[in-house]
Amino acid sequence: MSSTLRPASLPEQDLAERFQTVRERTLDLVAPLSDADASAQSLVDASPAKWHLAHTTWFFETFILRDHLEGYRLFNERWPFLFNSYYEAEGARQARSQRGLLTRPALGEVRRFREYVDQAVLTAIPFLAERCGELLELGLHHEEQHQELLLTDVKHLFSCNPLGPALWPMLPVPMVGDVADSGSAWREFSGGLVEVGTDGDAFAFDCEQPRHKHFLNPYALARRTVTNGEWIAFMEDGGYRNPALWLDEGWNWVKAEGIESPLYWRCEDDGHWMHFTLAGWQPVDSAAPVVHISLFEADAFAAWSSARLPTEQEWEHAAQGLDPDGGMQFDGEYEAGPSAASDPKGLSEMFGSVWEWTGSPYRPYPGFRAAKGAVGEYNGKFMSNQFVLKGGSFVTPRGHMRGSYRNFFQPEKRWQFTGLRLAKDLT
């Protein structure tokens, strides 16, 4: 495995068109926000929408224009301190927990920053595509990641508002009621020596490489993700009060944080559950996938179900042959949240709907080499104390996902659109 980025997989014209499409989509997502909406930070893990707009632009300005276009002048020499995220090689930066203090520059100035950088990139794209096309493509995938994070972070911010505002005017996901119980419906796999990861010509992050062999014992995956209705049954059976179901660290987290339900849920006086969505407060649909749960909660539910979480290798092996652009993903349709899907013959919701926790720690593959330079900090240095998620969510941009994709979060995190699918051993 080379320690450098692979060549760009898109020709110059396609790269230019994709650059414009991705950059415009980010602006569309923040169009409903006021300057105040875009400046506030509600959680240390989250960032203001304005910061997402600027940071993704800083990425292109720093690693593309500054480093590869002779004579380029920074939009503002003081802004790299504000909008560097975690790249130690790029020097000091605003503390993550204090990004919400950046009331200046205003949203309009950040938009002008984007226009300045976009014009420079598009003007020079014939040269840049040849000189650093792989970095341009990395920047676009990086921005798509931030599009999902932006929605995740705005949802948390709006959930803190007593008015319960919706991000955009849209219809909530239709209530479809109960669906036929397929919780015991499994798809079986014989296992054996399989290959996971990627070495292909298409774009992939360094952490997905290299492709390698892995042995799997026979296993089964549930045909769909766990639903809200099943989660309510878990709660009603005392799932959050039974320490026998929980990992020790998870049980300590439940007690310390007073966790009694998924994030954004509340029980009304009549006993019905509501949850906060991108369309504001809505009734919990019992047939829809449960979302906003931690690894600890997912693991406890699996224990309650006499099952377990899949490994990332099992999940990726099971997903081979499935369309990564299928399922409920973001393509301009503004949905409140994931809705129910059913495929009694196959595996439903493997791509889209909710990110699926696996029981696998996020660690390097055999032979992994980080890219050279500052972009080598993109993934590798986070390979500790985190778990892998697979499959994407309903706000993952369609076209961004693939079977080898490795998302990762700490086990207590749940503000991301995270759910679960059960697995079990067949031996």
Side-chain angles (χ1 to χ4, degrees), residues 369-412:
R369 297 290 186 272
K372 294 180 179 178
V375 293
E377 299 184 50
Y378 199 107
N379 287 307
K381 71 180 188 179
F382 299 110
M383 291 177 171
S384 66
N385 302 320
Q386 314 219 43
F387 282 79
V388 174
L389 297 113
K390 302 289 280 186
S393 81
F394 75 101
V395 290
T396 301
R398 196 178 302 279
H400 183 75
M401 195 44 52
R402 53 198 166 269
S404 61
Y405 197 107
R406 307 176 78 198
N407 198 357
F408 52 92
F409 282 100
Q410 293 96 343
E412 76 279 7

Short mmCIF file of all heavy atoms in Angstrom, two decimals, residues 369-412:
data_model
loop_
_atom_site.label_atom_id
_atom_site.label_comp_id
_atom_site.label_asym_id
_atom_site.label_seq_id
_atom_site.Cartn_x
_atom_site.Cartn_y
_atom_site.Cartn_z
N ARG A 369 -1.19 2.48 5.66
CA ARG A 369 -0.24 3.58 5.67
C ARG A 369 -1.01 4.88 5.48
O ARG A 369 -1.78 5.02 4.53
CB ARG A 369 0.80 3.44 4.55
CG ARG A 369 1.68 2.20 4.65
CD ARG A 369 2.65 2.28 5.82
NE ARG A 369 3.57 1.13 5.81
CZ ARG A 369 3.31 -0.03 6.39
NH1 ARG A 369 2.14 -0.22 6.99
NH2 ARG A 369 4.18 -1.02 6.33
N ALA A 370 -0.80 5.82 6.38
CA ALA A 370 -1.44 7.11 6.25
C ALA A 370 -0.82 7.88 5.09
O ALA A 370 0.34 7.69 4.74
CB ALA A 370 -1.31 7.91 7.53
N ALA A 371 -1.62 8.76 4.47
CA ALA A 371 -1.10 9.60 3.40
C ALA A 371 -0.02 10.53 3.93
O ALA A 371 0.02 10.84 5.13
CB ALA A 371 -2.24 10.41 2.78
N LYS A 372 0.85 10.98 3.06
CA LYS A 372 1.90 11.90 3.46
C LYS A 372 1.35 13.30 3.70
O LYS A 372 0.33 13.68 3.14
CB LYS A 372 2.98 11.96 2.36
CG LYS A 372 3.76 10.67 2.17
CD LYS A 372 4.80 10.82 1.07
CE LYS A 372 5.60 9.54 0.88
NZ LYS A 372 6.59 9.66 -0.22
N GLY A 373 2.05 14.06 4.54
CA GLY A 373 1.67 15.44 4.79
C GLY A 373 0.54 15.58 5.78
O GLY A 373 0.12 14.62 6.44
N ALA A 374 0.01 16.80 5.87
CA ALA A 374 -1.04 17.09 6.85
C ALA A 374 -2.29 16.25 6.63
O ALA A 374 -2.97 15.88 7.60
CB ALA A 374 -1.39 18.58 6.80
N VAL A 375 -2.64 15.94 5.36
CA VAL A 375 -3.86 15.15 5.13
C VAL A 375 -3.73 13.74 5.68
O VAL A 375 -4.73 13.03 5.80
CB VAL A 375 -4.22 15.11 3.63
CG1 VAL A 375 -4.62 16.48 3.13
CG2 VAL A 375 -3.10 14.52 2.81
N GLY A 376 -2.51 13.33 6.02
CA GLY A 376 -2.34 12.04 6.68
C GLY A 376 -2.96 11.99 8.07
O GLY A 376 -3.13 10.92 8.65
N GLU A 377 -3.31 13.18 8.61
CA GLU A 377 -3.99 13.25 9.90
C GLU A 377 -5.49 13.02 9.79
O GLU A 377 -6.21 13.02 10.79
CB GLU A 377 -3.74 14.62 10.55
CG GLU A 377 -2.29 14.94 10.83
CD GLU A 377 -2.13 16.27 11.55
OE1 GLU A 377 -2.82 16.48 12.57
OE2 GLU A 377 -1.34 17.12 11.08
N TYR A 378 -6.00 12.83 8.57
CA TYR A 378 -7.44 12.78 8.32
C TYR A 378 -8.12 11.68 9.13
O TYR A 378 -9.16 11.89 9.73
CB TYR A 378 -7.68 12.58 6.83
CG TYR A 378 -9.06 12.95 6.35
CD1 TYR A 378 -9.28 14.08 5.60
CD2 TYR A 378 -10.15 12.15 6.65
CE1 TYR A 378 -10.55 14.42 5.16
CE2 TYR A 378 -11.42 12.48 6.22
CZ TYR A 378 -11.61 13.62 5.47
OH TYR A 378 -12.87 13.95 5.05
N ASN A 379 -7.56 10.48 9.12
CA ASN A 379 -8.21 9.34 9.75
C ASN A 379 -7.35 8.60 10.77
O ASN A 379 -7.82 8.22 11.84
CB ASN A 379 -8.67 8.33 8.68
CG ASN A 379 -9.86 8.79 7.90
OD1 ASN A 379 -10.88 9.14 8.46
ND2 ASN A 379 -9.74 8.80 6.58
N GLY A 380 -6.09 8.37 10.41
CA GLY A 380 -5.27 7.44 11.17
C GLY A 380 -5.11 7.78 12.64
O GLY A 380 -5.11 6.89 13.50
N LYS A 381 -5.00 9.05 12.97
CA LYS A 381 -4.72 9.40 14.35
C LYS A 381 -5.92 9.23 15.28
O LYS A 381 -5.80 9.40 16.49
CB LYS A 381 -4.17 10.82 14.44
CG LYS A 381 -5.15 11.94 14.17
CD LYS A 381 -4.42 13.28 14.30
CE LYS A 381 -5.36 14.46 14.24
NZ LYS A 381 -4.62 15.73 14.38
N PHE A 382 -7.07 8.90 14.71
CA PHE A 382 -8.27 8.68 15.52
C PHE A 382 -8.54 7.20 15.79
O PHE A 382 -9.62 6.84 16.28
CB PHE A 382 -9.48 9.31 14.85
CG PHE A 382 -9.35 10.79 14.67
CD1 PHE A 382 -9.18 11.34 13.42
CD2 PHE A 382 -9.37 11.64 15.76
CE1 PHE A 382 -9.04 12.70 13.25
CE2 PHE A 382 -9.23 13.01 15.61
CZ PHE A 382 -9.07 13.54 14.34
N MET A 383 -7.59 6.35 15.49
CA MET A 383 -7.81 4.91 15.60
C MET A 383 -7.59 4.39 17.01
O MET A 383 -6.79 3.49 17.26
CB MET A 383 -6.92 4.18 14.59
CG MET A 383 -7.34 4.42 13.16
SD MET A 383 -6.23 3.64 11.96
CE MET A 383 -7.15 3.89 10.43
N SER A 384 -8.33 4.97 17.96
CA SER A 384 -8.32 4.48 19.35
C SER A 384 -9.62 4.90 20.01
O SER A 384 -10.16 5.98 19.74
CB SER A 384 -7.13 5.04 20.13
OG SER A 384 -7.24 6.44 20.29
N ASN A 385 -10.15 4.01 20.87
CA ASN A 385 -11.33 4.31 21.69
C ASN A 385 -12.56 4.68 20.87
O ASN A 385 -13.41 5.44 21.33
CB ASN A 385 -11.01 5.43 22.69
CG ASN A 385 -9.84 5.10 23.59
OD1 ASN A 385 -9.71 3.96 24.04
ND2 ASN A 385 -8.99 6.07 23.83
N GLN A 386 -12.67 4.14 19.66
CA GLN A 386 -13.82 4.40 18.82
C GLN A 386 -14.29 3.10 18.21
O GLN A 386 -13.53 2.13 18.10
CB GLN A 386 -13.47 5.41 17.72
CG GLN A 386 -12.68 6.60 18.23
CD GLN A 386 -13.08 7.90 17.57
OE1 GLN A 386 -14.25 8.20 17.38
NE2 GLN A 386 -12.09 8.71 17.23
N PHE A 387 -15.57 3.08 17.77
CA PHE A 387 -16.14 1.90 17.15
C PHE A 387 -16.63 2.24 15.74
O PHE A 387 -17.00 3.38 15.46
CB PHE A 387 -17.29 1.34 17.99
CG PHE A 387 -16.83 0.56 19.19
CD1 PHE A 387 -16.39 1.21 20.33
CD2 PHE A 387 -16.80 -0.83 19.17
CE1 PHE A 387 -15.94 0.51 21.44
CE2 PHE A 387 -16.35 -1.55 20.28
CZ PHE A 387 -15.92 -0.88 21.41
N VAL A 388 -16.63 1.24 14.89
CA VAL A 388 -16.96 1.42 13.48
C VAL A 388 -18.46 1.38 13.28
O VAL A 388 -19.17 0.54 13.84
CB VAL A 388 -16.28 0.34 12.62
CG1 VAL A 388 -16.74 0.43 11.17
CG2 VAL A 388 -14.77 0.46 12.71
N LEU A 389 -18.95 2.30 12.44
CA LEU A 389 -20.33 2.29 11.97
C LEU A 389 -20.32 2.09 10.47
O LEU A 389 -19.41 2.53 9.77
CB LEU A 389 -21.05 3.61 12.30
CG LEU A 389 -21.20 3.94 13.78
CD1 LEU A 389 -20.36 5.14 14.14
CD2 LEU A 389 -22.66 4.17 14.12
N LYS A 390 -21.37 1.46 9.95
CA LYS A 390 -21.43 1.14 8.53
C LYS A 390 -22.76 1.58 7.94
O LYS A 390 -23.78 1.66 8.62
CB LYS A 390 -21.27 -0.37 8.32
CG LYS A 390 -19.99 -0.98 8.88
CD LYS A 390 -18.76 -0.58 8.10
CE LYS A 390 -18.61 -1.39 6.84
NZ LYS A 390 -17.32 -1.11 6.13
N GLY A 391 -22.74 1.87 6.64
CA GLY A 391 -23.96 1.94 5.86
C GLY A 391 -24.55 3.28 5.56
O GLY A 391 -25.38 3.40 4.67
N GLY A 392 -24.19 4.33 6.28
CA GLY A 392 -24.76 5.64 6.00
C GLY A 392 -26.13 5.85 6.62
O GLY A 392 -26.68 4.97 7.29
N SER A 393 -26.69 7.03 6.40
CA SER A 393 -28.00 7.38 6.97
C SER A 393 -28.84 8.09 5.92
O SER A 393 -28.42 8.30 4.79
CB SER A 393 -27.82 8.29 8.19
OG SER A 393 -27.61 9.63 7.80
N PHE A 394 -30.04 8.50 6.33
CA PHE A 394 -30.95 9.17 5.39
C PHE A 394 -30.47 10.56 5.03
O PHE A 394 -31.00 11.17 4.08
CB PHE A 394 -32.37 9.22 5.98
CG PHE A 394 -32.55 10.23 7.08
CD1 PHE A 394 -33.15 11.46 6.83
CD2 PHE A 394 -32.13 9.95 8.38
CE1 PHE A 394 -33.31 12.39 7.85
CE2 PHE A 394 -32.29 10.87 9.39
CZ PHE A 394 -32.88 12.09 9.13
N VAL A 395 -29.46 11.10 5.73
CA VAL A 395 -28.89 12.39 5.35
C VAL A 395 -27.45 12.25 4.85
O VAL A 395 -26.76 13.25 4.69
CB VAL A 395 -28.97 13.42 6.49
CG1 VAL A 395 -30.40 13.86 6.73
CG2 VAL A 395 -28.34 12.88 7.76
N THR A 396 -27.01 11.04 4.56
CA THR A 396 -25.74 10.85 3.86
C THR A 396 -25.98 11.15 2.39
O THR A 396 -26.91 10.58 1.79
CB THR A 396 -25.25 9.40 4.01
OG1 THR A 396 -25.07 9.09 5.38
CG2 THR A 396 -23.92 9.22 3.27
N PRO A 397 -25.20 12.04 1.76
CA PRO A 397 -25.42 12.34 0.35
C PRO A 397 -25.35 11.08 -0.51
O PRO A 397 -24.42 10.29 -0.40
CB PRO A 397 -24.28 13.31 0.01
CG PRO A 397 -23.93 13.96 1.31
CD PRO A 397 -24.12 12.88 2.34
N ARG A 398 -26.36 10.89 -1.33
CA ARG A 398 -26.37 9.71 -2.20
C ARG A 398 -25.16 9.76 -3.13
O ARG A 398 -24.84 10.80 -3.71
CB ARG A 398 -27.66 9.63 -3.01
CG ARG A 398 -27.90 8.26 -3.61
CD ARG A 398 -29.22 8.19 -4.38
NE ARG A 398 -30.37 8.51 -3.57
CZ ARG A 398 -30.98 7.66 -2.75
NH1 ARG A 398 -30.52 6.43 -2.61
NH2 ARG A 398 -32.05 8.04 -2.05
N GLY A 399 -24.47 8.63 -3.26
CA GLY A 399 -23.25 8.57 -4.04
C GLY A 399 -22.00 8.62 -3.18
O GLY A 399 -20.90 8.36 -3.67
N HIS A 400 -22.16 8.95 -1.90
CA HIS A 400 -21.02 9.06 -0.99
C HIS A 400 -20.64 7.72 -0.37
O HIS A 400 -19.51 7.53 0.07
CB HIS A 400 -21.36 10.07 0.12
CG HIS A 400 -20.26 10.33 1.09
ND1 HIS A 400 -19.16 11.10 0.79
CD2 HIS A 400 -20.09 9.93 2.38
CE1 HIS A 400 -18.36 11.17 1.84
NE2 HIS A 400 -18.90 10.46 2.82
N MET A 401 -21.57 6.79 -0.35
CA MET A 401 -21.41 5.57 0.43
C MET A 401 -20.87 4.42 -0.40
O MET A 401 -20.97 4.40 -1.61
CB MET A 401 -22.78 5.19 1.04
CG MET A 401 -22.74 4.18 2.16
SD MET A 401 -21.45 4.45 3.40
CE MET A 401 -21.72 6.17 3.84
N ARG A 402 -20.25 3.45 0.28
CA ARG A 402 -19.76 2.21 -0.31
C ARG A 402 -19.61 1.19 0.81
O ARG A 402 -19.55 1.54 1.99
CB ARG A 402 -18.44 2.42 -1.06
CG ARG A 402 -17.38 3.07 -0.21
CD ARG A 402 -16.25 3.68 -1.03
NE ARG A 402 -15.47 4.57 -0.16
CZ ARG A 402 -15.73 5.86 -0.01
NH1 ARG A 402 -16.72 6.43 -0.66
NH2 ARG A 402 -14.99 6.60 0.81
N GLY A 403 -19.51 -0.09 0.43
CA GLY A 403 -19.45 -1.14 1.43
C GLY A 403 -18.24 -1.07 2.32
O GLY A 403 -18.29 -1.47 3.48
N SER A 404 -17.13 -0.56 1.80
CA SER A 404 -15.89 -0.51 2.58
C SER A 404 -15.80 0.70 3.50
O SER A 404 -14.86 0.82 4.29
CB SER A 404 -14.69 -0.52 1.64
OG SER A 404 -14.71 0.60 0.78
N TYR A 405 -16.77 1.60 3.40
CA TYR A 405 -16.72 2.87 4.15
C TYR A 405 -16.71 2.60 5.65
O TYR A 405 -17.51 1.79 6.15
CB TYR A 405 -17.95 3.70 3.79
CG TYR A 405 -17.88 5.17 4.14
CD1 TYR A 405 -17.72 6.12 3.14
CD2 TYR A 405 -18.02 5.62 5.44
CE1 TYR A 405 -17.69 7.47 3.43
CE2 TYR A 405 -17.97 6.96 5.74
CZ TYR A 405 -17.81 7.89 4.73
OH TYR A 405 -17.77 9.23 5.03
N ARG A 406 -15.84 3.30 6.38
CA ARG A 406 -15.71 3.11 7.83
C ARG A 406 -15.95 4.45 8.54
O ARG A 406 -15.08 5.31 8.58
CB ARG A 406 -14.32 2.59 8.18
CG ARG A 406 -13.88 1.35 7.44
CD ARG A 406 -12.45 0.98 7.78
NE ARG A 406 -12.36 0.33 9.09
CZ ARG A 406 -11.22 0.21 9.79
NH1 ARG A 406 -10.10 0.76 9.33
NH2 ARG A 406 -11.22 -0.42 10.95
N ASN A 407 -17.14 4.62 9.08
CA ASN A 407 -17.39 5.75 9.98
C ASN A 407 -16.99 5.32 11.38
O ASN A 407 -16.91 4.13 11.68
CB ASN A 407 -18.86 6.15 9.93
CG ASN A 407 -19.11 7.55 10.46
OD1 ASN A 407 -18.20 8.24 10.92
ND2 ASN A 407 -20.36 7.98 10.40
N PHE A 408 -16.78 6.27 12.28
CA PHE A 408 -16.33 5.89 13.61
C PHE A 408 -16.69 6.97 14.63
O PHE A 408 -16.64 8.16 14.35
CB PHE A 408 -14.80 5.66 13.63
CG PHE A 408 -13.99 6.80 13.04
CD1 PHE A 408 -13.51 7.83 13.83
CD2 PHE A 408 -13.71 6.81 11.68
CE1 PHE A 408 -12.77 8.86 13.28
CE2 PHE A 408 -12.96 7.85 11.12
CZ PHE A 408 -12.49 8.88 11.93
N PHE A 409 -17.11 6.51 15.81
CA PHE A 409 -17.43 7.40 16.92
C PHE A 409 -17.11 6.71 18.24
O PHE A 409 -17.04 5.49 18.32
CB PHE A 409 -18.91 7.80 16.90
CG PHE A 409 -19.25 8.86 15.90
CD1 PHE A 409 -19.82 8.52 14.68
CD2 PHE A 409 -18.98 10.19 16.15
CE1 PHE A 409 -20.12 9.48 13.74
CE2 PHE A 409 -19.28 11.17 15.23
CZ PHE A 409 -19.85 10.82 14.02
N GLN A 410 -16.96 7.52 19.29
CA GLN A 410 -16.80 6.98 20.62
C GLN A 410 -18.10 6.30 21.05
O GLN A 410 -19.18 6.66 20.59
CB GLN A 410 -16.42 8.08 21.61
CG GLN A 410 -15.05 8.68 21.38
CD GLN A 410 -15.12 9.95 20.54
OE1 GLN A 410 -16.11 10.22 19.88
NE2 GLN A 410 -14.06 10.74 20.59
N PRO A 411 -18.01 5.30 21.95
CA PRO A 411 -19.18 4.46 22.24
C PRO A 411 -20.34 5.18 22.92
O PRO A 411 -21.46 4.69 22.86
CB PRO A 411 -18.61 3.36 23.14
CG PRO A 411 -17.35 3.92 23.71
CD PRO A 411 -16.80 4.82 22.65
N GLU A 412 -20.09 6.33 23.56
CA GLU A 412 -21.18 7.03 24.24
C GLU A 412 -21.88 8.05 23.34
O GLU A 412 -22.91 8.62 23.72
CB GLU A 412 -20.65 7.74 25.49
CG GLU A 412 -19.86 9.02 25.25
CD GLU A 412 -18.42 8.77 24.85
OE1 GLU A 412 -18.03 7.60 24.64
OE2 GLU A 412 -17.66 9.76 24.77
#
